[in-house]
Amino acid sequence: MAAFPHPTPVPSVRFLPRQPLLNCAFASSSYRNLLVGEFIGFSQGRARRRRDAGARKWWSPTMRAVLRDLDLEGSNRARRAPVVAEGMLGKERSKVVNLDDIISERGACGVGFIANLQNKASHNVILDALTALGCMEHRGGCGADNISGDGSGLMTSVPWDLFNDWASKQGVASIDRSNTGVGMVFLPKDENYMKAAKTAITRTFLEEGLDVIGWRPVPVNTAIVGYYARKTMPNIQQVFVKVPKEESVDDIERELYICRKLIERTTQLEEWKDELYFCSLSNQTIVYKGMLRSEVLGQFYLDLQDDLYKSAFAIYHRRYSTNTSPRWPLAQPMRLLGHNGEINTIQGNLNWMQSRETTIESPVWRGRENEIRPYGNPKASDSANLDSAAELLLRSGRNPAEALMILVPEAYKNHPTLMIKYPEVVDFYDYYKGQMEAWDGPALLLFSDGKTVGACLDRNGLRPARYWRTADDIVYVASEVGVLPMDESKVIMKGRLGPGMMITVDLQSGQVYENTDVKKSIASLYPYRKWLTENMRTLKPVNFLSSLVLDNDTILRHQQAFGYSSEDVQMVIETMAAQGKEPTFCMGDDIPLAVLSLKPHMIFDYFKQRFAQVTNPAIDPLREGLVMSLEVNIGKRGNILGVGPQNASQVILSSPVLNEGELEALMKDPYLKPQVLPAFFDIGKGLDGSLEKALKDLCEAADEAVRSGSQLLVLSDRCEELEPTRPAIPILLAVGAVHQHLIQNGLRMSASIVADTAQCFSTHQFACLIGYGASAICPYLALETCRQWRLSTKTVNMMRNGKMPTVTIEQAQRNFCKAVKSGLLKILSKMGISLLSSYCGAQIFEIYGLGQDIVDIAFCGSFSKIGGLTVDELARETLSFWVKAFSEDTAKRLENFGFIQFRPGGEYHGNNPEMSKLLHKAVREKSESAYVIYQQHLANRPVLRDLLELKSKRPPIPVGKVEPASSIVQRFCTGGMSLGAISRETHEAIAIAMNRLGGKSNSGEGGEDPIRWSPLADVIDGYSPTLPHLKGLQNGDTATSAIKQVASGRFGVTPTFLANADQLEIKIAQGAKPGEGGQLPGKKVSAYIARLRNSKPGVPLISPPPHHDIYSIEDLAQLIFDLHQVNPNAKVSVKLVAEAGIGTVASGVAKANADIIQISGHDGGTGASPVSSIKHAGGPWELGLTETHQTLIENGLRERIILRVDGGFKSGFDVLVAATMGADEYGFGSVAMIATGCVMARICHTNNCPVGVASQREELRARFPGVPGDLVNYFVYVAEEVRGTLAQLGYEKMDDIIGRTELLRPRQVSLTKTQHIDLSYILSNVGLPKWSSTEIRNQDVHTNGPVLDEIILSDPEVVEAIEREKEVTKAVEIHNVDRAVCGRIAGVIAKQYGDTGFAGQLNIVFNGSAGQSFGCFLTPGMNIRLVGEANDYGMAGGELVITPVENTGFSPEDATIVGNTCLYGATGGQVFVRGKAGERFAVRNSLVEAVVEGTGDHCCEYMTGGCVVVLGKVGRNVAAGMTGGLAYILDEDDTFIPKVNKEIVKIQRVNAPAGQMQLKSLIEAHEKTGSKKGTAILSEWEAYLPLFWQLVPPSEEDAPEACAEFERVKAAGRVAVQSS
């Protein structure tokens, strides 16, 4: 727009072509060929044989089988998109990052490093790194040709011996390693482009005064490159340059960095710019990488096989990219980092880095800062951009560890160890918190500048990182153990990186520095405490107002003018004021998108929150809040490269929610020079253009204020008197416009933005304002509304009569603010973000219904895929609220728009009473005419798909020629509604109906009663003694759910449950509340529900967000592997929720070997969820399905995947639209419940459903009206509707229309708000799958390939032991590539005998390093012993003993020998571990008894049963969310108490005799591990017993093990006997 021009791009200098420079490359093409040939011959000699001999001899049979037949592990994928060089300047670079660029590239990985502490370079380091890389193949992704990898690479020191050998063969003098830089360069494939690129590079070096020694073509073996990777494979060469003017290593590295940046700038206008990329340009390090599988990297780069290639260290990396585009530059390591993880805040980080460009300066750059811009590139990956930021700090004089402490800080607040022992580290973090927003997200980062090698973990510890050191002074760090053969007797130290921890190796001194040593040395460099004390101010809390500012009539007028409804006040604000938490609701969001609504909406309703799924995890604000913070710094952010007291001059707010007094106090800060900017627009001269002009004026005022020295801009819609012709600018629009304007003008770092507004009262609205640039908000009208509510006669009377808890007027406002803060934490956590400071300006939203002109002004870079309102149309909608305050006939109460609850005359709801009545009539009376009326009622719904119609050029055909309804209904599924959220009657009736039809019902979360798995044979007159609570039954009915769900809580997930599934569904996200776990209120947890879920009746059940075992794409791949392992006959589906970028996510899921992907719309139902989650997260399935289908087709993955979709489906029309958009199967949720009797009372979360559909109360369940036949009738009608339409369109079967978007046309619909809806994306087409939908649906289950379990199960003695329930003992070798071992065996036993019926005994001893998920889904009768070590995950039902090998060089009780998240959701058995476990040990444990000798953070989290004994130290946050079971923790140094999350559990000594007996007997059983610690405790029992603490949740307080006076109490008859 003219008023808001993009900044003029910095002109790139373009040089005229010159004659090629002579003598730059010493090797002629013929000589190069000869050289490559020599290398190939060499590789086939000693080096290759040595590697094979060293590696293969210890590979497992499985690994050998995989190597023999690589196709078994591969998946069917294709590639697209050009290579984009990281770090390039765009031709027209916008200052604001585009979300589209960011979400198209995501990845996760396996990483590690090897370092020789004596700094001895050797070829063995390279060989070991390549071997380790080969053993991480399962952590990477593979192309559609089964050969092209997502990327792998090595970073090492520069192999000077190799290069000098090359130079001597060229007849060139020996290379001076002290001042020579080596560039590893990807050049264009085209010969002419390649020459042009080399010329440009050489010219830049010469202009910088560097001497180009020569070019070396890197010898490669292209024969092993996959087809898709070869298509984009660059020409790979090395350039050698001498840096004559600089002497120090740092100056040489800085000069080379400048040269690289200049080359990137000067080549920006060239056609081949995206094909030029420097993997490295350094005097210290070099990177060899490519789009290769890890095990062929060493075969591709022949240098890596040469004995002359020596290094003292190597960082290795295997990439799993969810976007399958082959981009060679994005393989890792990068130039400084190897990154395993995802940066969730990347959009904000990039925006802020670009905002910094005008303020960054340092003497080391000698005035050349302009030449090294930009500092980020949105088209590169998050890893590449983090690397770029770290590299800037490094080249500016920071060391690598310091750079990463600044960029990826640990959770240092309230950290007992840091606060007491290392306060200077806390000061360091406090100082930089105001300077650099954290690059937040799960990350294991390995780094090296050639002098130091190190690793650090993100603040949540959501990546595994194990390390060990050997007697010959080699240090190893890896994502998992077992990646190298190791003589355990030489291992002198084993450990793991915990959350926020770091380890570094100084190659020059040979020292290893563990976490606090590194950080203390860095934090001591400057007097941070002094600077903070003298300059940092903290805003002290100010009391809330205790009386009303306005009278009631004026408050009402303000509420009307600013868009409040009676629901907003009564259901949102008043609930928050009364209870201190967000209101809970149910059933999902079935109203139209704001742009399609007939009702006016506030601008916030056009925004949907983005959320984490698959590529990165949501985190847990409820139980892991210790890593989260809402603190925000106000004021100017100085030069990040400068270190001094001036940068500390800021004000700290404890949260972004300000009351009036706090805003006033902030306004008085003398250093901030606050400036208030009124946010109104004048319509006195007409509406059109008025809002745009006001925004322009506002931005100019902001610009002027900042240039005049203001560090705080307060955008305010507060005024003395409302004026009819001066409506308030939508505050989000005002904040966004000013934020973008200041970024574009290079002023954003100089000031903070605060919104003083009446327009903000819900958590979503706060999040939007912060996400688009506001640092804090004063919601003055919401606070006034809280005061009005508290002082109202109605409230006073209710409190006086005891109908609600009494709160003071101050408490009401405090409650409101508390609810907002909790809601903000939940919104941040959904995206996996821990810090509000990182969320600010990160724009983590999608827009539905605003046009590009609005986006360009205020929300640059955000997605708005369907277009929508213009600026003037938005002004009109804003005015429609404003005029209500001035109307003569203004009502004396607020209008109820009906956005939350249905009401006559209010907003349209898809699930409305009239619809349910018509449907009940049709299905109960089996009336086709009634169904036609139901169909007519659904016509013209204000939903996205109803803007389309189906048109065909074919002539109609008779319905008799169309495939039968019996075939179509097999494509139908019902939603994942959990037994618990809905009643047993509803759940079983739906399952029976779907089984009659041949469709599929879904168990939802919570397990399933095995009584349902057998066909009924005892039905008389519709009733069965087996299921006596149901009617309308038939002999042959089965109540089993064909799809059995595995959700984040793992409730009810037993081996038998899994073994009896036709399909297994992994619920990553739910349409009604993506990024959150499920919740079942305690009053719904009946004895029956508790039994199925292995929990306690009456205790609320909260599922964690899906992060404990699904925190990246490779972890999801592991869970899919586990499920295929336990039930190889069940297809595995992954449930996702529609959002921008879901196609990228789905590509990763397809590569992870899923069989089915389900896309859910934002309008899915739920039994209970916060209102803001229901309303403001997720997108329409129409867009999500389109993107998924098209991305899978473009990547050659569509044939591998059955695509299923759900969300508000009600009719055959919905099915047909979904089919044309590419879906194979169709899910029906709420409507299936309605068909079986639901009357849409919308009180599911209260347990008071009037018809027993969603209640566990027996008297209400008795009212359940449904019979399976009703639902059968409904689905038959839907199928017949589909048949009728197919006949009209001229198609005979569903297969013929799936993916054919040409059958869709926009309908001529006149919308109330705008005519600018753009449906072109939905109507686009990229082609059809190669197979028909039926062929895709009928393909075999994807296989895990050859696995160790199959070898064990092929042993006749094992077979006989299982078949005849005998005992057998076996010994087996195991390696880290053997994953989910014992899962297949457990599945075989569970299918035959159930969870407890096996009377035989399998005693198997494994020797070695077990891969992930060792011992998953064990069943009783399996006694497993592992001598060695294990990685992440693993669940137990039998007995599992893990012990290190004998004669280790380390102390077993001090070593970490099992990984993270062990015993997740475990449902029985015993586990004994001689050594420590990682993070989240026994999370959601239901019944396991376990003994371990130390754990990381979050031990016993969400535990609901069982018993855990820890004979050593634990990390923070023990027993968070622990509602059942007991824990015993040994506390020898009196440090345990501060580590406990005291929200639920009681901490006491072990006083009860039964508890003492339980503890002692478990330690006695633990002696079978050979534990010296256990033996010592037992030998001095009386001395050790008082050192144990017992953790007791309320449900266990009366258990004999916890209650010291149990016998006396029992005798008194006051408690029932309970056992733990």
Side-chain angles (χ1 to χ4, degrees), residues 867-914:
L869 274 63
T870 63
V871 177
D872 287 339
E873 287 168 341
L874 181 62
R876 200 162 283 114
E877 183 163 37
T878 304
L879 189 61
S880 69
F881 286 124
W882 192 258
V883 296
K884 290 179 182 175
F886 305 98
S887 172
E888 296 273 333
D889 55 349
T890 294
K892 293 301 177 192
R893 60 169 63 92
L894 284 172
E895 188 175 343
N896 184 340
F897 296 125
F899 289 156
I900 300 175
Q901 289 182 308
F902 174 84
R903 61 181 299 278
E907 180 62 278
Y908 173 85
H909 281 257
N911 298 319
N912 55 69
E914 181 65 17

Side-chain angles (χ1 to χ4, degrees), residues 501-612:
M501 288 171 63
M502 182 181 285
I503 183 173
T504 64
V505 175
D506 186 327
L507 293 171
Q508 293 166 327
S509 69
Q511 294 296 309
V512 178
Y513 296 99
E514 293 192 69
N515 186 45
T516 46
D517 299 330
V518 186
K519 292 173 178 173
K520 185 174 181 180
S521 67
I522 288 169
S524 303
L525 292 174
Y526 294 100
Y528 294 113
R529 165 62 16 213
K530 180 175 183 288
W531 294 347
L532 290 168
T533 304
E534 292 173 356
N535 296 282
M536 191 75 77
R537 289 94 66 199
T538 300
L539 184 69
K540 294 180 173 56
V542 178
N543 289 335
F544 289 91
L545 299 181
S546 55
S547 60
L548 288 174
V549 177
L550 307 172
D551 60 59
N552 283 339
D553 284 347
T554 307
I555 292 172
L556 175 64
R557 286 184 60 218
H558 274 74
Q559 289 170 338
Q560 289 169 325
F562 288 108
Y564 289 43
S565 74
S566 62
E567 283 184 324
D568 296 328
V569 171
Q570 292 164 17
M571 294 188 70
V572 179
I573 299 174
E574 291 179 3
T575 301
M576 291 159 81
Q579 300 175 12
K581 60 184 182 182
E582 281 190 271
T584 298
F585 203 58
C586 61
M587 286 313 296
D589 186 27
D590 58 347
I591 67 170
L593 293 172
V595 70
L596 302 179
S597 169
L598 298 175
K599 304 288 180 184
H601 279 257
M602 296 175 76
I603 189 172
F604 304 100
D605 292 348
Y606 291 85
F607 290 76
K608 296 279 189 183
Q609 300 155 19
R610 289 180 55 72
F611 49 89

Side-chain angles (χ1 to χ4, degrees), residues 923 989 993 996 1031-1032 1034 1266-1274:
V923 298
R996 283 186 195 171
K1031 52 188 183 236
Q1034 301 169 4
V1267 294
D1270 291 347
L1271 189 56
V1272 170
N1273 292 342
Y1274 169 69

Side-chain angles (χ1 to χ4, degrees), residues 105 319 330 332 334 346 377-386:
E105 185 55 55
R319 186 165 189 251
L330 294 182
Q332 293 195 42
M334 294 297 173
I346 185 66
N377 175 10
K379 292 188 183 299
S381 64
D382 56 335
S383 305
N385 279 295
L386 177 60

Side-chain angles (χ1 to χ4, degrees), residues 30 67 87 223 291 366 468 634 643 782 869 914 1006 1138-1139 1217 1294:
S30 59
L67 290 171
M291 300 305 295
R366 303 170 191 170
W468 58 102
I634 298 284
V643 185
L869 274 63
E914 181 65 17
E1139 67 174 330
V1217 171
M1294 290 290 287

Side-chain angles (χ1 to χ4, degrees), residues 1528 1550-1559 1599-1603 1606:
Y1528 300 89
V1550 190
N1551 297 319
Q1556 295 174 2
M1557 193 184 308
Q1558 181 184 40
L1559 173 61
E1601 293 83 359
C1603 180
F1606 178 78

Side-chain angles (χ1 to χ4, degrees), residues 32-45 162-163 165-166 169 216-220 301-308:
R32 284 201 298 268
N33 294 336
L34 177 64
L35 193 70
V36 172
E38 285 177 352
F39 268 107
I40 291 172
F42 182 82
S43 77
Q44 290 166 346
L162 176 73
F163 294 150
D165 180 65
W166 166 78
K169 290 174 181 174
R216 174 180 184 255
V218 179
V220 295
Y301 284 114
L302 305 183
D303 285 353
L304 298 177
Q305 301 165 21
D306 195 317
D307 286 347
L308 291 173

Side-chain angles (χ1 to χ4, degrees), residues 1094 1418 1420 1435-1439 1465-1471 1485-1489:
N1094 294 304
L1418 290 186
M1435 298 165 70
E1439 181 181 273
T1467 54
Q1470 291 188 315
V1471 177
N1485 175 26
S1486 294
L1487 284 174
V1488 165
E1489 295 180 324

